[in-house]
Amino acid sequence: MNFRTPAVRLGLLPAGIALALVPSFASAQEAASGTTDLDRISVTGSRIRGANMETQQPILTMTRETLEKQGFSNVADVLNNLTSAGSPAISRSDSLSSGENVGGYYVDIRNLGAQRTLVLMNGKRLGATTGGYQDLSQIPMSAVERIEVLKDGASSIYGSDAIAGVVNVITRKNFDGGEVNVYFGQYDQGDGENQQYSMTLGATGERGSLTLSAEYSKQDPVWAKDRWYSRDGGRGPNSVAADGSPISQYGSWCNPLQVNCADSKTAVWQTLNQGGNPNNPNDYHTLTAEEYANSNEQMSLLTGIERKSLYINGTYDFTDTISLNTDVLYNERNTFQQIAGYPYQSSSFGTPLTAESAFNPVGQNVDFRRRLWEVPRTTDSQLKTLRFAPTISGYFELAGKSFDWDVGALWNRNESIKTQRGDMSLIASEQALGASFINAQGVAQCGTAANPIALGDCRPWNPLLPYGVAGQGSLADPELQDFLFPTYTTRGVTKTTSFTANLSGSIVTLPAGDLGFAVGVEHRKEEGSYVPDAFAQSGMSTGLGQKPTQGEYDLNEVYLELNVPILADMAFAKELTLNLASRYSDYSNFGGTTNSKFGLTWRPIDELLVRGTYAEGFRAPTIADLYGGLSSSFERYTDPCAVGVSGSVAGNAACLAGGAPADYVQLGQGNVPCSTTPCQSGDQFISGANPNLAPETSKSKTVGLVWSPRWVQGLDISLDWYRYEISNMIIDDSVDRILRDCYVLGDSSRCGSVTRAADGHISAITYGTANLGKMDTEGYDLGIKYRLPELAIGQFAIDWQTSYLSKYDEAAQNAAGDDIMIGRVGQDALFRVRSNLGVNWSLGSFGVNYTARYYSGLNEPCIAIGCTDPDRIAYGETAPLRKTGSNTFHDLQVSWKAPWDATIALGANNVFDHKGPLMYSQQNSSFAYYGGFDIGRFLYMKYTQKF
């Protein structure tokens, strides 16, 4: 079998090993004749054009036909269901996530992080947030021609961020005619409605073409209260009332006349009796577990998203050898998320219900707790993208050789606006909880009778009134809500500007073929700002504090690539080719870096291909890494100074000196003892940027086989091994790392940022980013594609893709302070095996597509209610594990091509309504369930009309 024939090359596409064929410039005569010069095709991952380049690297290509056979309606969902894709970054189930990146859809190849996968659109970078996240939701599905995924490092070709791989989304052009698509679906529970409408129009002429694609899509949110694993609280169906939050919507307070409220061990929290008088201290009872809050009742489980987009592509041939290609994209994306009302603790903000308040039952300042149930916290995230990418390209001949060139530019602008409500103004709450009185009209009013404050300027609040109980100062009062809960607006802008020039061709003809080359230069500038609301900057609200992020940098790059044929058409060497590439990047903020790549392709016989690559990579610090403002968050951590936790050193000298008693029990939200660790803090911790960061560096290796046995026509098998080693990873200097260094390793220089309250719990900690991370991962990709001979009962095609993760080690330190690598395979949503089996059948105008998506089991920290594997302890850990089983989800689509040039498809994702296991560690989710699993049976219908 000859790998140089178009039929064989295209037959390999679904097998996930090669062929990302990007058509190069074709002359007007070629376009008119419908032919393309195969000597000048380009391949994702290489700048050299040539028909023998397509199988040198592990590349997966998904054609538009492949995309249409799936039930997914956006690019991100398609990519996240690849077996080589890692757990989704900031998934739609991460309702508690906050910040600039929330609302976008990202892809993470090899579990190396979404920031380490470079996303291109027609070979040019997608605009990114200040944190380096590239949002795939800005690409309309209707405009996609195909998607190419290079599963190998490519910094020598594309520069920064291409550590794990490259996703190149190729859009439609030279489209002639019209196409209308309608998509509608929802879960069989009757929620999560998804609707999408698109139209593509195009016209081609003798020297040019114009293609326009418009799309509108909307996915409604799904609520946590409507799913079996999330409706009962953080531990799913196994939850008990005590698992809820003691900061209840019914409100509670501590009577200072009865107990020492400052001591968490003696404080008693009381709530109003049903029908009781809130001003009578005897009408209260101790808050019971049955009255604890189930915050999931107000949480969105999947965020909603609405998108409007317009894509235009224009081409024009100035001459037979010079052409213009221009892309214009406008996209407007809106996402909505909701979480429960804020768990307000007066002691955290120094805002007690004052003795002078008309609602105070004892005439002394009292601390209280009250979840602000009446006003859930909502975030509307809007992103507007404007992209303009013109390219002039052509070719010429010199000394009998053909050369291709192009000069291009990119202007990409992302503007984000986040509108939030539900966090209380601390300025307003201090006034509302301060002095108040009952005026002559019997209405509660701020101030005193002698010095009243107009109702329009202040509204008094009674936090002791439970949710659902009417009365003066009730939080259900719309006017009080308007006074206490302002609307917060955060704005961000990122800009990417680049100019490129490339030249490729062949230098000389060697005995084994042409020595190909590509050389190019690029100038790029990245600018970004993210400006939180003034309340967030001042810290005068219950929301997470943030400071502005603003910065820019620019760089100049030059690269050279060579493709050197060594042997050809010899015994056991039908082809032996060496590929070399190197790129020098000069950054304005940290200087220069050089990264190279070496690839070898050997075809001992026609039907067998052997290939290997070695690549150096890097990721430059982002604007947020370097210039990001301080931000706050409620972190999950394990305090080694607490008794009963994994690795406890309670009572040692460092813990005692730091203010943790020998019998200290770790406290979580509401200063309540943690039932399991890691446990979420009830206090805000501060993190920030580091202007002295260096780039991350990486080394990647791949070795692969491609086999198409001549005695089984239509069968293609590929096997690829990969390994990535990343150094100087930019990571947050985590709370756990600081506590370990300070208290376990005894490094007193690390203790200064830790503040403990009188009862021993950590009330504040400050940390930043640093080049402290390392990662080493290794695995295999197996692809089997078999297109059976056409039978009387129809045509069958099988596509089976499997990824095996053999190693995933991250840097840590042991008790002696030595650097070690901790294995994480099977934990933290790192599946050892992911496998997709697709079977397609077609007969005449009918077709059926079936897919099975397999995930191997996972482990998580063991807790009392779910300890299934108590004797198993992960390397580097001291606690036993809980093990969950494997999971398989089945998808089915049935289609019919109607005689009026239409296609009608009906389908279901997770057709058997498989339910994944509870995951109490909430991996990639805010709930006890893995964020990448299906949450129910999703039914859909698609209609496509061509004209």
Side-chain angles (χ1 to χ4, degrees), residues 88 179 255 277 341 411 632 646 744 775 841:
E179 181 180 290
N255 189 339
N277 178 5
W411 291 274
S632 62
S646 174
V744 179
M775 185 181 293
W841 169 83

Side-chain angles (χ1 to χ4, degrees), residues 189 228-229 886-889 910 912-918 929 933-936:
Q189 290 93 331
W228 65 276
Y229 62 85
S886 61
N887 294 270
T888 303
F889 299 90
N910 190 18
F912 299 121
D913 196 22
H914 174 73
K915 295 177 174 61
L918 294 171
Y929 197 73
F933 280 169
D934 296 52
I935 65 168

Side-chain angles (χ1 to χ4, degrees), residues 115-116 130-132 160 549 553 587-593 618-629 687-697 727-733 767-773:
Q115 298 154 293
R116 297 177 187 90
T130 62
S160 177
T549 293
Y553 62 85
Y587 279 74
S588 62
N589 50 354
F590 67 81
T593 177
F618 81 105
R619 184 177 80 89
T622 66
I623 290 173
D625 290 333
L626 297 166
Y627 314 116
S687 60
N690 181 355
N692 300 314
L693 290 172
E696 299 178 348
T697 59
S727 303
N728 296 320
M729 283 181 64
I730 300 171
I731 62 173
D732 285 332
D733 187 7
Y767 55 99
T769 53
N771 292 103
L772 293 174

